[in-house]
Amino acid sequence: MKKINSALVSVYHKDRLDEIVKLLVDNNIKIYSTGGTYDFIKKMGIETFTVESLTQYPSILGGRVKTLHPKVFGGILARRENETDLSQMAEYAIPEIDLVIVDLYPFEETVASTTNQAEIIEKIDIGGISLIRAAAKNYNDVAIIPSKEQYDFLINLLKEKKGCTTLEDRLYLAAQAFNVSSHYDSAIFGYFQTKTAIDAFKFSVQGKQEMRYGENPHQKGAFYGDLDKVFEQLHGKAISYNNLIDLESALNLVNEFTETTFAIIKHTNACGIASRSNPVDAWKAALAGDPVSAYGGVIVTNCVIDLETAQEINKLFFEIIFAEGYNDDALEVLKTKKNRIILQKKSNTYSPVQFRSVLNGVLVQDKDLKVETVEDLKVATNKQPDSSLTGDLLFANIVVKHTKSNAIVVVKDKQLLGSGVGQTSRVDSTNHAIEKAHEFGFDLNGSVLASDAFFPFADCVEIAHKAGVIAFIQPGGSVRDQDSIDYCNKNDLPMIMTGFRHFKH
């Protein structure tokens, strides 16, 4: 156990500082402080000493240099059991500093709130981060409070342990300190990396949410991030690892539609999706696409759910529902199942970059944010699609983009009729999509087909046409594109080539 006899306090945010300072005084701890922190403590009527009184040197360069001085860092870094260190401290009149309390400049918040580079640069903390690293390095003798997140821990030390710390306490705080400092430096690097290309991958996320388990019960799982920025959970059990993976796929899909749309997701793929003029019709059409697979799925919509729609949805067992909002009476209906997870959207803003662990490293890519519009469409055939077919083709193209490769989807009247998902052959995906549609009694005559990648041969087009498909959309790019085009021309069918592949693995 080591007794805290002196503390250096230098914080940006003053939240709960009064509570901390009173406890320092109660434990007879001498307080050194800087700038605004000194003014705050003095206004409380509590004795504190300026860092300038310790260093005999003023704060200079507009406050950029306050604590960067041997008398400050010597007091922190001195090894209390090292005779040479103690001798030099005595020689240069350097007092021991046993506790450092720091709260860094809000760099990330500043980047998020302004594009003013001068303002951003000024929020790069120098003295504070140096104090954190110094105190953490010397955790054998010094306790470090690197952010207000550790205030509760400190308050407990001051109340329950009367201002004493164990080596275990100090080691824990040192780990927290390097967590704070490494995250802070990663954020700064991330900002500068947007200004100049540096070949390095650094990504730091605070906030761990334990999952019950990972993808399977024998795997550990956790989420790092802030889900509260994405949605508000209104009801239900804790969200699982697999729930989050499905939810991301669901949101990426539905966010690309402007019409009232419902989608049902199973294992990251849409088993049903439809757009209609009102919520209840959109729901019924989405469910009709595959009512068997919909069982236990994730429901997502870009509209507010009313009572009539909620009553229809409530007939199905499902894990999660995510919506723009809920009418009060609709919410009461959906809450009748205690474990059902009900989420309401807060934000549509997600990272434009994706990464995943592969082998002994990380793959990084831009997110596939391309959404084809009418202007992107290049008709490769003699036959032109009319406006109704074009609407279905664009709808199908969005759905296939969010379907595991090899992917084929068949659509009619902005309703998914069948999909071929994750097959090793595009022909298999085509046959599977047709079989699924027939399984649920859909008439494919007049339908359209979308492919996530080019047709290597004309076989998929021929198979689909014989089943009733009358229009196609695909990226193009095969050395044998002309085979598919010739088949369509021979049978008076329109085919659109977008020039954009949408593999999803």
Side-chain angles (χ1 to χ4, degrees):
M1 287 282 252
K2 286 185 178 287
K3 175 71 171 69
I4 299 171
N5 294 307
S6 61
L8 171 60
V9 186
S10 181
V11 296
Y12 183 86
H13 297 100
K14 306 302 186 289
D15 311 16
R16 302 181 69 189
L17 182 58
D18 54 346
E19 183 181 2
I20 299 287
V21 169
K22 288 174 183 176
L23 287 170
L24 294 176
V25 172
D26 290 344
N27 285 278
N28 298 314
I29 297 170
K30 185 175 183 178
I31 303 171
Y32 297 99
S33 56
T34 62
T37 305
Y38 174 84
D39 294 338
F40 182 92
I41 296 172
K42 288 296 287 184
K43 285 180 181 177
M44 292 175 63
I46 290 175
E47 184 180 37
T48 180
F49 300 89
T50 65
V51 167
E52 290 86 347
S53 70
L54 171 63
T55 64
Q56 299 300 307
Y57 215 91
S59 172
I60 62 172
L61 307 182
R64 281 188 165 197
V65 180
K66 295 189 289 282
T67 58
L68 297 170
H69 193 281
K71 280 203 171 182
V72 174
F73 282 86
I76 295 169
L77 285 166
R79 293 159 291 188
R80 305 321 196 237
E81 296 175 1
N82 184 295
E83 291 299 328
T84 302
D85 286 6
L86 295 177
S87 173
Q88 289 182 340
M89 289 182 73
E91 179 181 357
Y92 296 107
I94 299 174
E96 293 180 358
I97 297 175
D98 307 314
L99 170 66
V100 176
I101 304 174
V102 177
D103 182 41
L104 298 171
Y105 292 164
F107 179 81
E108 288 179 280
E109 293 87 340
T110 304
V111 171
S113 64
T114 184
T115 58
N116 186 310
Q117 186 163 345
E119 187 176 343
I120 290 170
I121 296 303
E122 282 307 308
K123 288 299 185 291
I124 297 176
D125 205 312
I126 302 301
I129 204 78
S130 301
L131 291 169
I132 287 174
R133 292 177 63 83
K137 177 176 180 175
N138 200 26
Y139 71 87
N140 193 61
D141 298 301
V142 179
I144 173 64
I145 302 299
S147 78
K148 57 186 177 181
E149 301 303 319
Q150 285 74 48
Y151 278 5
D152 285 336
F153 189 89
L154 175 60
I155 288 168
N156 182 66
L157 288 179
L158 295 173
K159 284 183 176 179
E160 303 301 323
K161 296 186 177 181
K162 307 302 180 184
C164 292
T165 63
T166 64
L167 181 61
E168 183 181 17
D169 293 332
R170 297 190 298 275
L171 178 61
Y172 166 78
L173 290 171
Q176 290 284 4
F178 286 119
N179 176 38
V180 169
S181 66
S182 63
H183 178 78
Y184 195 77
D185 284 340
S186 292
I188 295 169
F189 172 77
Y191 172 75
F192 278 92
Q193 196 175 34
T194 65
K195 307 295 181 184
T196 180
I198 296 177
D199 294 332
F201 174 78
K202 291 181 174 63
F203 193 83
S204 176
V205 183
Q206 303 284 56
K208 179 181 181 181
Q209 182 173 330
E210 292 282 358
M211 302 284 102
R212 296 194 300 276
Y213 49 80
E215 200 162 6
N216 299 291
H218 63 277
Q219 296 170 269
K220 291 182 179 180
F223 173 80
Y224 290 86
D226 188 358
L227 292 175
D228 289 338
K229 290 183 178 179
V230 181
F231 55 73
E232 178 183 2
Q233 182 165 351
L234 305 178
H235 183 74
K237 63 184 180 181
I239 294 176
S240 73
Y241 182 100
N242 290 334
N243 289 157
L244 287 177
I245 291 176
D246 282 339
L247 189 60
E248 182 191 37
S249 295
L251 297 182
N252 288 339
L253 171 59
V254 82
N255 285 340
E256 295 195 344
F257 291 92
T258 55
E259 295 180 82
T260 298
T261 302
F262 266 90
I264 307 165
I265 305 298
K266 286 295 287 289
H267 298 290
T268 74
N269 297 296
C271 61
I273 181 169
S275 294
R276 293 291 184 267
S277 61
N278 62 77
V280 70
D281 287 345
W283 164 250
K284 289 179 178 179
L287 179 62
D290 187 345
V292 175
S293 296
Y295 182 87
V298 172
I299 300 170
V300 62
T301 182
N302 58 3
C303 70
V304 175
I305 295 178
D306 57 25
L307 176 61
E308 181 184 10
T309 308
Q311 289 170 333
E312 289 295 325
I313 294 171
N314 201 46
K315 297 174 183 178
L316 177 73
F317 169 76
F318 59 90
E319 287 270 340
I320 297 178
I321 185 164
F322 182 104
E324 292 279 329
Y326 305 85
N327 291 346
D328 290 343
D329 48 5
L331 189 58
E332 290 309 307
V333 169
L334 294 171
K335 282 183 174 180
T336 54
K337 304 294 185 184
K338 70 175 184 177
N339 287 330
R340 179 180 287 165
I341 299 169
I342 303 175
L343 308 175
Q344 182 166 315
K345 180 180 122 178
K346 280 187 177 179
S347 170
N348 251 0
T349 304
Y350 316 125
S351 172
V353 177
Q354 293 177 309
F355 52 88
R356 63 195 296 181
S357 59
V358 175
L359 301 177
N360 64 346
V362 178
L363 279 174
V364 183
Q365 69 170 356
D366 297 334
K367 198 170 185 178
D368 185 358
L369 300 176
K370 176 62 181 177
V371 181
E372 284 79 1
T373 64
V374 173
E375 289 73 25
D376 294 310
L377 306 184
K378 299 176 179 64
V379 180
T381 51
N382 299 329
K383 177 80 170 182
Q384 299 276 331
D386 61 23
S387 60
S388 177
L389 280 181
T390 298
D392 273 355
L393 288 165
L394 288 171
F395 179 99
N397 198 58
I398 293 174
V399 177
V400 83
K401 168 186 169 181
H402 295 277
T403 303
K404 290 285 187 183
S405 302
N406 287 311
I408 295 288
V409 303
V410 180
V411 164
K412 184 163 71 172
D413 298 329
K414 296 183 179 178
Q415 177 189 25
L416 177 64
L417 305 186
S419 57
V421 177
Q423 301 300 307
T424 53
S425 158
R426 198 157 297 279
V427 171
D428 288 344
S429 291
T430 303
N431 285 323
H432 191 218
I434 293 167
E435 289 165 11
K436 290 289 288 185
H438 286 159
E439 181 182 347
F440 297 109
F442 288 112
D443 178 6
L444 296 186
N445 287 303
S447 63
V448 306
L449 180 148
S451 175
D452 66 330
F454 64 65
F455 296 118
F457 305 98
D459 46 7
C460 294
V461 177
E462 183 176 355
I463 291 167
H465 175 228
K466 289 179 178 177
V469 173
I470 63 168
F472 299 85
I473 185 167
Q474 58 137 327
S478 168
V479 295
R480 302 187 65 169
D481 275 346
Q482 196 59 44
D483 292 357
S484 298
I485 295 169
D486 289 346
Y487 182 90
C488 287
N489 284 335
K490 181 180 177 181
N491 292 278
D492 198 29
L493 305 171
M495 174 177 283
I496 286 175
M497 294 188 178
T498 65
F500 292 93
R501 190 182 73 184
H502 292 293
F503 270 168
K504 184 183 178 189
H505 292 96

